[in-house]
Coordinates of all heavy atoms in Angstrom, one line a residue:
M1351 N 9.7 -8.3 -5.6 CA 11.2 -8.2 -5.8 C 11.4 -7.5 -7.1 O 10.7 -7.8 -8.1 CB 11.8 -9.6 -5.7 CG 13.3 -9.5 -5.8 SD 14.2 -11.0 -5.3 CE 13.5 -12.1 -6.5
F1352 N 12.5 -6.8 -7.2 CA 12.9 -6.1 -8.4 C 14.3 -6.5 -8.7 O 15.0 -7.0 -7.9 CB 12.9 -4.6 -8.1 CG 12.4 -3.7 -9.2 CD1 11.1 -3.5 -9.4 CD2 13.3 -3.1 -10.1 CE1 10.6 -2.8 -10.4 CE2 12.8 -2.3 -11.1 CZ 11.5 -2.1 -11.3
T1353 N 14.7 -6.4 -10.0 CA 16.0 -6.8 -10.4 C 16.9 -5.5 -10.6 O 16.3 -4.4 -11.0 CB 16.1 -7.6 -11.7 OG1 15.4 -6.8 -12.7 CG2 15.4 -8.9 -11.5
C1354 N 18.1 -5.6 -10.3 CA 19.0 -4.4 -10.4 C 19.2 -4.0 -11.8 O 19.5 -4.9 -12.7 CB 20.4 -4.8 -9.8 SG 21.6 -3.5 -10.0
P1355 N 19.0 -2.8 -12.2 CA 19.1 -2.3 -13.6 C 20.5 -2.3 -14.1 O 20.8 -2.3 -15.3 CB 18.5 -0.9 -13.5 CG 18.5 -0.5 -12.1 CD 18.5 -1.7 -11.3
K1356 N 21.5 -2.4 -13.2 CA 22.9 -2.3 -13.6 C 23.5 -3.7 -13.8 O 24.2 -3.9 -14.8 CB 23.8 -1.6 -12.5 CG 23.5 -0.1 -12.5 CD 24.6 0.6 -11.6 CE 24.3 2.1 -11.7 NZ 25.3 2.8 -10.9
C1357 N 23.2 -4.7 -12.9 CA 23.8 -6.0 -13.1 C 22.8 -7.1 -13.3 O 23.2 -8.2 -13.6 CB 24.7 -6.3 -11.9 SG 23.8 -6.7 -10.4
G1358 N 21.6 -6.9 -13.1 CA 20.5 -7.9 -13.3 C 20.3 -8.8 -12.1 O 19.4 -9.7 -12.2
A1359 N 21.0 -8.7 -11.1 CA 20.8 -9.5 -9.9 C 19.5 -9.1 -9.2 O 19.0 -8.0 -9.4 CB 22.0 -9.4 -8.9
S1360 N 19.1 -9.9 -8.3 CA 17.9 -9.6 -7.5 C 18.2 -8.4 -6.6 O 19.4 -8.2 -6.2 CB 17.4 -10.8 -6.7 OG 18.4 -11.2 -5.7
A1361 N 17.2 -7.6 -6.2 CA 17.4 -6.5 -5.3 C 16.3 -6.6 -4.2 O 15.2 -7.1 -4.5 CB 17.2 -5.2 -6.1
K1362 N 16.7 -6.2 -3.0 CA 15.8 -6.2 -1.9 C 15.2 -4.9 -1.7 O 15.8 -3.9 -1.8 CB 16.5 -6.6 -0.6 CG 15.6 -6.7 0.6 CD 16.3 -7.3 1.8 CE 15.3 -7.5 2.9 NZ 15.6 -8.5 3.8
T1363 N 13.8 -4.9 -1.5 CA 13.1 -3.6 -1.2 C 13.4 -3.3 0.3 O 13.0 -4.1 1.2 CB 11.6 -3.8 -1.5 OG1 11.4 -4.2 -2.8 CG2 10.9 -2.5 -1.2
R1364 N 14.0 -2.2 0.5 CA 14.3 -1.8 1.9 C 13.2 -1.0 2.6 O 12.9 -1.2 3.8 CB 15.6 -0.9 1.9 CG 16.8 -1.7 1.5 CD 17.1 -2.7 2.6 NE 18.3 -3.4 2.3 CZ 18.7 -4.4 3.0 NH1 18.1 -4.8 4.1 NH2 19.8 -5.0 2.7
T1365 N 12.5 -0.2 1.9 CA 11.4 0.6 2.4 C 10.6 1.2 1.3 O 11.0 1.1 0.1 CB 11.9 1.7 3.4 OG1 10.7 2.2 4.1 CG2 12.6 2.8 2.7
S1366 N 9.5 1.8 1.6 CA 8.7 2.5 0.6 C 7.9 3.5 1.3 O 7.7 3.5 2.5 CB 7.8 1.5 -0.1 OG 6.8 0.9 0.7
V1367 N 7.4 4.5 0.5 CA 6.6 5.6 1.0 C 5.5 5.9 0.0 O 5.8 5.9 -1.2 CB 7.5 6.8 1.3 CG1 8.2 7.3 0.1 CG2 6.8 7.9 2.0
M1368 N 4.3 6.2 0.5 CA 3.2 6.6 -0.3 C 3.4 8.0 -0.7 O 3.5 8.9 0.1 CB 1.9 6.4 0.4 CG 1.5 4.9 0.6 SD 1.2 4.0 -0.8 CE -0.3 4.7 -1.4
L1369 N 3.4 8.3 -2.0 CA 3.4 9.7 -2.5 C 2.1 10.3 -2.7 O 1.9 11.5 -2.6 CB 4.2 9.8 -3.8 CG 5.7 9.3 -3.7 CD1 6.4 9.4 -5.0 CD2 6.5 10.1 -2.6
S1370 N 1.1 9.4 -3.0 CA -0.3 9.8 -3.1 C -1.1 8.5 -2.9 O -0.6 7.5 -2.7 CB -0.6 10.5 -4.5 OG -0.5 9.5 -5.5
N1371 N -2.4 8.6 -3.1 CA -3.3 7.4 -3.0 C -3.0 6.4 -4.1 O -3.4 5.2 -3.9 CB -4.8 7.8 -3.0 CG -5.2 8.4 -1.7 OD1 -4.5 8.2 -0.7 ND2 -6.3 9.1 -1.7
E1372 N -2.4 6.8 -5.1 CA -2.2 5.9 -6.3 C -0.7 5.7 -6.6 O -0.4 5.0 -7.6 CB -2.9 6.4 -7.5 CG -4.4 6.5 -7.2 CD -5.2 6.9 -8.4 OE1 -4.6 7.3 -9.4 OE2 -6.5 6.9 -8.4
V1373 N 0.2 6.3 -5.9 CA 1.7 6.2 -6.3 C 2.5 5.9 -5.0 O 2.3 6.5 -4.0 CB 2.2 7.5 -6.9 CG1 3.7 7.4 -7.2 CG2 1.4 7.9 -8.2
R1374 N 3.4 5.0 -5.1 CA 4.3 4.6 -4.0 C 5.7 4.6 -4.6 O 6.0 4.1 -5.7 CB 3.9 3.2 -3.5 CG 4.9 2.6 -2.5 CD 4.5 1.2 -2.0 NE 3.3 1.3 -1.2 CZ 3.3 1.6 0.1 NH1 4.5 1.7 0.7 NH2 2.2 1.6 0.8
R1375 N 6.7 5.2 -3.8 CA 8.1 5.1 -4.2 C 8.7 4.0 -3.3 O 8.6 4.0 -2.1 CB 8.8 6.4 -3.9 CG 10.3 6.3 -4.1 CD 11.0 7.7 -4.0 NE 10.7 8.5 -5.2 CZ 10.4 9.8 -5.1 NH1 10.4 10.4 -4.0 NH2 10.1 10.4 -6.2
S1376 N 9.4 3.1 -3.9 CA 10.1 2.0 -3.2 C 11.6 2.2 -3.3 O 12.1 2.6 -4.4 CB 9.7 0.6 -3.8 OG 8.3 0.4 -3.6
Y1377 N 12.3 1.9 -2.2 CA 13.8 2.0 -2.2 C 14.4 0.6 -2.2 O 14.0 -0.3 -1.3 CB 14.3 2.7 -1.0 CG 13.8 4.2 -1.0 CD1 12.5 4.6 -0.6 CD2 14.7 5.2 -1.4 CE1 12.1 5.9 -0.6 CE2 14.3 6.5 -1.4 CZ 13.0 6.8 -1.0 OH 12.6 8.2 -1.0
H1378 N 15.3 0.3 -3.1 CA 15.8 -1.1 -3.3 C 17.3 -1.0 -3.2 O 18.0 0.0 -3.5 CB 15.5 -1.6 -4.7 CG 14.0 -1.6 -5.1 ND1 13.1 -2.5 -4.7 CD2 13.3 -0.6 -5.7 CE1 11.9 -2.2 -5.2 NE2 12.0 -1.0 -5.8
Q1379 N 17.9 -2.2 -2.8 CA 19.3 -2.4 -2.7 C 19.7 -3.7 -3.4 O 19.1 -4.7 -3.1 CB 19.8 -2.4 -1.3 CG 21.3 -2.4 -1.2 CD 21.8 -2.2 0.2 OE1 21.1 -2.5 1.2 NE2 23.0 -1.7 0.4
C1380 N 20.7 -3.6 -4.3 CA 21.1 -4.8 -5.1 C 21.7 -5.9 -4.1 O 22.5 -5.5 -3.2 CB 22.1 -4.4 -6.1 SG 22.8 -5.8 -7.1
N1381 N 21.4 -7.1 -4.4 CA 21.9 -8.2 -3.5 C 23.3 -8.7 -4.0 O 23.9 -9.4 -3.3 CB 20.9 -9.4 -3.6 CG 19.7 -9.1 -2.8 OD1 19.7 -8.5 -1.7 ND2 18.6 -9.7 -3.2
N1382 N 23.8 -8.2 -5.1 CA 25.1 -8.6 -5.6 C 26.1 -7.7 -4.9 O 26.1 -6.5 -5.0 CB 25.2 -8.3 -7.1 CG 26.5 -8.7 -7.7 OD1 27.4 -9.0 -7.0 ND2 26.6 -8.5 -9.0
L1383 N 27.0 -8.3 -4.0 CA 27.9 -7.6 -3.2 C 28.9 -6.8 -4.0 O 29.4 -5.7 -3.6 CB 28.6 -8.5 -2.2 CG 27.8 -9.2 -1.2 CD1 28.6 -10.1 -0.3 CD2 27.1 -8.1 -0.3
S1384 N 29.3 -7.2 -5.2 CA 30.2 -6.5 -6.0 C 29.6 -5.3 -6.7 O 30.2 -4.5 -7.3 CB 30.9 -7.4 -7.0 OG 29.9 -8.0 -7.9
C1385 N 28.3 -5.3 -6.7 CA 27.5 -4.1 -7.4 C 27.1 -3.2 -6.3 O 27.5 -2.0 -6.2 CB 26.4 -4.7 -8.2 SG 25.3 -3.4 -8.8
G1386 N 26.1 -3.6 -5.4 CA 25.7 -2.8 -4.3 C 24.9 -1.6 -4.7 O 24.7 -0.7 -3.8
S1387 N 24.3 -1.5 -5.9 CA 23.6 -0.3 -6.3 C 22.3 -0.2 -5.4 O 21.7 -1.1 -5.0 CB 23.2 -0.4 -7.7 OG 24.3 -0.4 -8.6
A1388 N 22.0 1.1 -5.2 CA 20.7 1.4 -4.5 C 19.9 2.3 -5.5 O 20.5 3.1 -6.2 CB 21.0 2.1 -3.2
F1389 N 18.6 2.0 -5.6 CA 17.8 2.7 -6.6 C 16.4 2.8 -6.1 O 16.0 2.1 -5.2 CB 17.9 2.1 -8.0 CG 17.5 0.6 -8.0 CD1 16.2 0.3 -8.4 CD2 18.5 -0.3 -7.7 CE1 15.9 -1.1 -8.4 CE2 18.1 -1.7 -7.7 CZ 16.8 -2.0 -8.1
T1390 N 15.6 3.6 -6.7 CA 14.2 3.8 -6.3 C 13.3 3.4 -7.6 O 13.8 3.5 -8.7 CB 13.8 5.2 -5.9 OG1 14.0 6.1 -7.0 CG2 14.6 5.6 -4.7
T1391 N 12.1 3.0 -7.3 CA 11.1 2.7 -8.3 C 9.8 3.4 -7.9 O 9.6 3.7 -6.7 CB 10.9 1.2 -8.5 OG1 10.4 0.6 -7.3 CG2 12.1 0.5 -9.0
L1392 N 9.0 3.6 -8.9 CA 7.7 4.2 -8.7 C 6.6 3.2 -9.1 O 6.7 2.6 -10.2 CB 7.5 5.5 -9.5 CG 8.3 6.7 -9.0 CD1 8.1 7.8 -10.0 CD2 8.0 7.1 -7.6
D1393 N 5.7 2.9 -8.1 CA 4.6 2.0 -8.4 C 3.3 2.8 -8.5 O 3.1 3.6 -7.6 CB 4.4 0.9 -7.3 CG 5.7 0.1 -7.1 OD1 6.4 -0.2 -8.1 OD2 6.0 -0.3 -6.0
A1394 N 2.6 2.7 -9.5 CA 1.4 3.5 -9.7 C 0.2 2.7 -10.2 O 0.4 1.7 -10.9 CB 1.7 4.7 -10.7
V1395 N -1.0 3.1 -9.8 CA -2.2 2.5 -10.3 C -2.3 3.0 -11.8 O -2.2 4.2 -12.1 CB -3.4 3.0 -9.5 CG1 -4.7 2.5 -10.2 CG2 -3.3 2.5 -8.1
E1396 N -2.4 2.1 -12.7 CA -2.4 2.4 -14.1 C -3.9 2.7 -14.5 O -4.2 3.8 -15.1 CB -1.8 1.3 -15.0 CG -1.8 1.7 -16.4 CD -1.2 0.5 -17.2 OE1 -1.0 -0.6 -16.7 OE2 -1.0 0.8 -18.4
H1397 N -4.8 1.8 -14.3 CA -6.2 2.0 -14.5 C -7.0 0.9 -13.8 O -6.4 -0.1 -13.4 CB -6.5 2.0 -16.0 CG -6.3 0.7 -16.7 ND1 -5.0 0.4 -17.3 CD2 -7.0 -0.4 -16.9 CE1 -5.1 -0.8 -17.8 NE2 -6.3 -1.3 -17.6
F1398 N -8.2 1.2 -13.6 CA -9.1 0.2 -12.9 C -9.7 -0.8 -13.9 O -10.0 -0.4 -15.0 CB -10.2 0.9 -12.1 CG -9.7 1.7 -10.9 CD1 -9.4 3.1 -11.0 CD2 -9.5 1.1 -9.7 CE1 -8.9 3.8 -10.0 CE2 -9.0 1.8 -8.6 CZ -8.7 3.1 -8.8
L1399 N -9.8 -2.0 -13.5 CA -10.3 -3.0 -14.4 C -11.8 -3.2 -14.3 O -12.4 -3.9 -15.1 CB -9.7 -4.4 -14.1 CG -8.1 -4.3 -14.3 CD1 -7.6 -5.7 -13.9 CD2 -7.7 -4.0 -15.7
N1400 N -12.4 -2.5 -13.3 CA -13.9 -2.6 -13.1 C -14.4 -1.2 -12.8 O -13.6 -0.3 -12.6 CB -14.3 -3.6 -12.1 CG -13.7 -3.4 -10.8 OD1 -13.0 -2.4 -10.6 ND2 -13.8 -4.3 -9.9
N1401 N -15.7 -1.0 -12.7 CA -16.2 0.3 -12.4 C -17.0 0.2 -11.1 O -18.2 0.4 -11.1 CB -17.1 0.7 -13.6 CG -17.5 2.1 -13.5 OD1 -16.9 2.9 -12.8 ND2 -18.6 2.5 -14.3
V1402 N -16.3 0.0 -10.0 CA -16.9 0.0 -8.7 C -17.2 1.4 -8.2 O -16.3 2.2 -8.2 CB -16.0 -0.8 -7.7 CG1 -16.6 -0.8 -6.3 CG2 -15.8 -2.2 -8.2
L1403 N -18.4 1.7 -7.7 CA -18.7 3.0 -7.2 C -18.1 3.1 -5.8 O -18.0 2.2 -5.1 CB -20.2 3.2 -7.1 CG -21.0 3.1 -8.5 CD1 -22.5 3.2 -8.2 CD2 -20.5 4.3 -9.3
P1404 N -17.7 4.4 -5.4 CA -17.1 4.6 -4.1 C -18.1 4.3 -3.0 O -19.3 4.5 -3.2 CB -16.7 6.0 -4.1 CG -17.3 6.7 -5.3 CD -17.7 5.6 -6.2
M1405 N -17.7 3.7 -1.9 CA -18.6 3.3 -0.8 C -19.0 4.5 0.0 O -18.2 5.3 0.4 CB -17.8 2.3 0.1 CG -18.7 1.5 1.0 SD -17.8 0.2 1.8 CE -18.9 -0.4 3.0
K1406 N -20.3 4.6 0.3 CA -20.8 5.7 1.1 C -20.4 5.5 2.6 O -20.3 4.3 3.0 CB -22.3 5.8 1.0 CG -22.8 6.2 -0.4 CD -24.3 6.2 -0.5 CE -24.7 6.5 -2.0 NZ -26.1 6.4 -2.2
A1407 N -20.4 6.6 3.4 CA -19.9 6.5 4.7 C -20.8 5.6 5.6 O -20.3 4.9 6.5 CB -19.9 7.9 5.3
N1408 N -22.1 5.6 5.4 CA -23.1 4.8 6.2 C -23.6 3.6 5.4 O -24.7 3.2 5.7 CB -24.2 5.7 6.7 CG -23.7 6.8 7.7 OD1 -22.8 6.5 8.4 ND2 -24.3 8.0 7.6
A1409 N -22.8 3.1 4.6 CA -23.3 2.0 3.7 C -23.5 0.7 4.5 O -24.4 -0.1 4.2 CB -22.3 1.7 2.6
V1410 N -22.7 0.5 5.6 CA -22.9 -0.7 6.5 C -23.8 -0.3 7.6 O -23.4 0.6 8.4 CB -21.5 -1.1 7.0 CG1 -21.6 -2.4 7.8 CG2 -20.6 -1.4 5.8
P1411 N -24.9 -0.9 7.8 CA -25.8 -0.6 8.9 C -25.2 -0.8 10.3 O -24.5 -1.8 10.5 CB -27.0 -1.5 8.7 CG -26.8 -2.1 7.3 CD -25.4 -2.0 7.0
K1412 N -25.5 0.1 11.2 CA -25.0 -0.1 12.6 C -25.6 -1.4 13.2 O -26.8 -1.7 12.9 CB -25.4 1.1 13.5 CG -24.6 2.4 13.2 CD -23.3 2.3 13.8 CE -22.5 3.5 13.7 NZ -21.2 3.4 14.2
G1413 N -24.8 -2.1 14.0 CA -25.3 -3.2 14.7 C -25.1 -4.5 13.9 O -25.3 -5.6 14.4
L1414 N -24.7 -4.4 12.7 CA -24.6 -5.6 11.9 C -23.3 -6.4 12.2 O -23.2 -7.6 12.2 CB -24.6 -5.2 10.4 CG -24.6 -6.4 9.4 CD1 -25.9 -7.2 9.6 CD2 -24.6 -5.8 7.9
F1415 N -22.2 -5.6 12.6 CA -20.9 -6.2 12.9 C -20.5 -5.7 14.3 O -21.1 -4.7 14.8 CB -19.9 -5.7 11.9 CG -20.2 -6.2 10.5 CD1 -20.6 -5.3 9.5 CD2 -20.0 -7.6 10.1 CE1 -20.9 -5.8 8.2 CE2 -20.3 -8.0 8.9 CZ -20.7 -7.1 7.9
P1416 N -19.5 -6.3 14.9 CA -19.0 -5.8 16.2 C -18.5 -4.4 16.1 O -18.1 -4.0 15.0 CB -17.9 -6.8 16.5 CG -18.1 -8.0 15.7 CD -18.9 -7.5 14.5
N1417 N -18.5 -3.7 17.2 CA -18.1 -2.3 17.2 C -16.7 -2.1 16.7 O -16.3 -1.1 16.2 CB -18.2 -1.7 18.6 CG -19.6 -1.4 19.0 OD1 -20.5 -1.2 18.1 ND2 -19.9 -1.2 20.3
S1418 N -15.8 -3.1 16.8 CA -14.5 -3.0 16.4 C -14.4 -2.9 14.9 O -13.3 -2.5 14.3 CB -13.6 -4.3 16.8 OG -14.2 -5.4 16.3
N1419 N -15.4 -3.1 14.2 CA -15.4 -3.0 12.7 C -15.9 -1.6 12.2 O -15.9 -1.4 11.0 CB -16.3 -4.0 12.1 CG -15.8 -5.4 12.3 OD1 -15.0 -5.7 13.1 ND2 -16.3 -6.3 11.5
Y1420 N -16.2 -0.7 13.1 CA -16.8 0.6 12.7 C -16.0 1.8 13.0 O -16.5 2.9 13.2 CB -18.1 0.8 13.4 CG -19.2 -0.1 12.9 CD1 -19.5 -1.3 13.6 CD2 -19.9 0.1 11.8 CE1 -20.5 -2.2 13.1 CE2 -20.9 -0.7 11.3 CZ -21.2 -1.9 12.0 OH -22.1 -2.7 11.5
G1421 N -14.7 1.8 13.0 CA -13.9 3.0 13.0 C -13.8 3.7 14.3 O -13.4 3.1 15.3
E1422 N -14.2 4.9 14.4 CA -13.9 5.8 15.6 C -14.5 5.4 16.9 O -14.1 5.8 17.9 CB -14.3 7.2 15.2 CG -13.5 7.8 14.1 CD -13.9 9.2 13.8 OE1 -14.6 9.8 14.5 OE2 -13.4 9.7 12.7
D1423 N -15.6 4.7 16.9 CA -16.3 4.3 18.2 C -15.8 3.0 18.7 O -16.5 2.4 19.5 CB -17.8 4.2 17.9 CG -18.4 5.6 17.6 OD1 -17.9 6.6 18.1 OD2 -19.4 5.6 16.9
Q1424 N -14.6 2.6 18.3 CA -14.1 1.2 18.7 C -13.9 1.1 20.2 O -14.1 0.0 20.7 CB -12.8 0.9 18.0 CG -13.0 0.8 16.5 CD -11.7 0.5 15.8 OE1 -11.0 -0.4 16.3 NE2 -11.4 1.2 14.8
L1425 N -13.4 2.2 20.8 CA -12.9 2.0 22.2 C -13.9 2.6 23.2 O -13.5 2.9 24.4 CB -11.5 2.7 22.3 CG -10.5 2.0 21.5 CD1 -9.2 2.8 21.6 CD2 -10.3 0.6 21.8
T1426 N -15.1 2.8 23.0 CA -16.1 3.3 24.0 C -16.2 2.2 25.1 O -16.3 1.0 24.8 CB -17.4 3.6 23.4 OG1 -17.9 2.4 22.7 CG2 -17.4 4.7 22.4
L1427 N -16.2 2.7 26.3 CA -16.3 1.8 27.4 C -17.6 2.0 28.2 O -17.7 1.5 29.3 CB -15.1 2.1 28.4 CG -13.7 1.8 27.8 CD1 -12.6 2.2 28.7 CD2 -13.6 0.4 27.3
S1428 N -18.5 2.6 27.6 CA -19.8 2.8 28.2 C -20.5 1.5 28.4 O -20.4 0.6 27.6 CB -20.7 3.8 27.4 OG -20.9 3.2 26.1
L1429 N -21.3 1.4 29.6 CA -22.0 0.2 29.9 C -23.5 0.4 29.7 O -24.1 1.4 29.7 CB -21.7 -0.2 31.4 CG -20.3 -0.5 31.7 CD1 -20.1 -0.7 33.2 CD2 -19.9 -1.7 31.0
Ligands
ZN1907 ZN1 23.4 -4.7 -9.1

């Protein structure tokens, strides 16, 4: 939840859209009926707190988990 920058009342987040993998724009509306301001905010990744390496495509061995956990081959109906 965000507070209205004009009156300080709480504001409801109506929707949001991803602008990139690290930035999201959120649309808010003030809950104070006498104010009613609408505004946007930007949420961004500031920095990572650890140094995790990116996961390789075949890092999880086939057959370890059910097919529903492996992406594109989820709906094969072969017997
Ligand atoms: Zn307001």
Side-chain angles (χ1 to χ4, degrees):
M1351 184 169 57
F1352 219 81
T1353 56
C1354 176
K1356 289 190 175 179
C1357 74
S1360 63
K1362 182 171 184 153
T1363 304
R1364 292 297 183 181
T1365 190
S1366 64
V1367 60
M1368 290 295 291
L1369 300 179
S1370 72
N1371 284 342
E1372 297 182 355
V1373 179
R1374 172 181 290 276
R1375 174 176 287 139
S1376 298
Y1377 294 81
H1378 309 274
Q1379 186 171 25
C1380 179
N1381 288 326
N1382 180 357
L1383 292 177
S1384 61
C1385 174
S1387 293
F1389 56 96
T1390 63
T1391 58
L1392 292 175
D1393 302 324
V1395 175
E1396 183 180 11
H1397 64 270
F1398 291 95
L1399 301 176
N1400 55 7
N1401 191 17
V1402 176
L1403 297 174
M1405 193 170 174
K1406 295 178 183 175
N1408 294 325
V1410 180
K1412 285 282 185 187
L1414 188 61
F1415 298 106
N1417 284 342
S1418 59
N1419 293 18
Y1420 288 99
E1422 295 181 10
D1423 294 329
Q1424 295 182 43
L1425 298 177
T1426 57
L1427 298 176
S1428 61
L1429 298 173

